[in-house]
Amino acid sequence: MPEHDIPLAPIDRILHKAGAERVSEEAVIVLRDILEAIAYEIATRSVELAKHAGRKTVTAEDIKTVIRILRCIYLSTYV
């Protein structure tokens, strides 16, 4: 069984706060897996940016920059 970094309960709460009356366990697991994959991708690229800039510390700006870059890449595939 793989280890996960994001627990299921907060994902379930988010779905309920978004208006879901009922949420299947499978839905919570799938959303958790997707969010972890996205977070890992952002984290990996943020570390690369920090290293490229000669820093050991990942900053909020690194993360925002990666998100802007990824958003452009993903949006350009639909244009």
Side-chain angles (χ1 to χ4, degrees):
M1 192 163 157
E3 184 178 321
H4 294 279
D5 294 313
I6 300 175
L8 295 175
I11 303 300
D12 186 65
R13 278 195 302 274
I14 290 168
L15 287 163
H16 281 95
K17 284 181 182 180
E21 289 185 35
R22 298 178 63 192
V23 179
S24 72
E25 183 178 1
E26 182 182 10
V28 175
I29 291 169
V30 167
L31 182 55
R32 187 262 322 266
D33 292 348
I34 291 168
L35 292 174
E36 283 184 341
I38 292 168
Y40 185 78
E41 181 71 21
I42 292 168
T44 301
R45 291 180 184 228
S46 297
V47 169
E48 289 172 4
L49 260 179
K51 286 182 179 179
H52 180 73
R55 293 182 279 108
K56 293 181 179 180
T57 304
V58 174
T59 65
E61 205 53 45
D62 293 328
I63 293 170
K64 291 176 186 177
T65 299
V66 167
I67 290 171
R68 279 194 299 273
I69 291 167
L70 290 176
R71 190 169 41 190
C72 290
I73 291 169
Y74 294 141
L75 289 177
S76 68
T77 61
Y78 298 105
V79 175

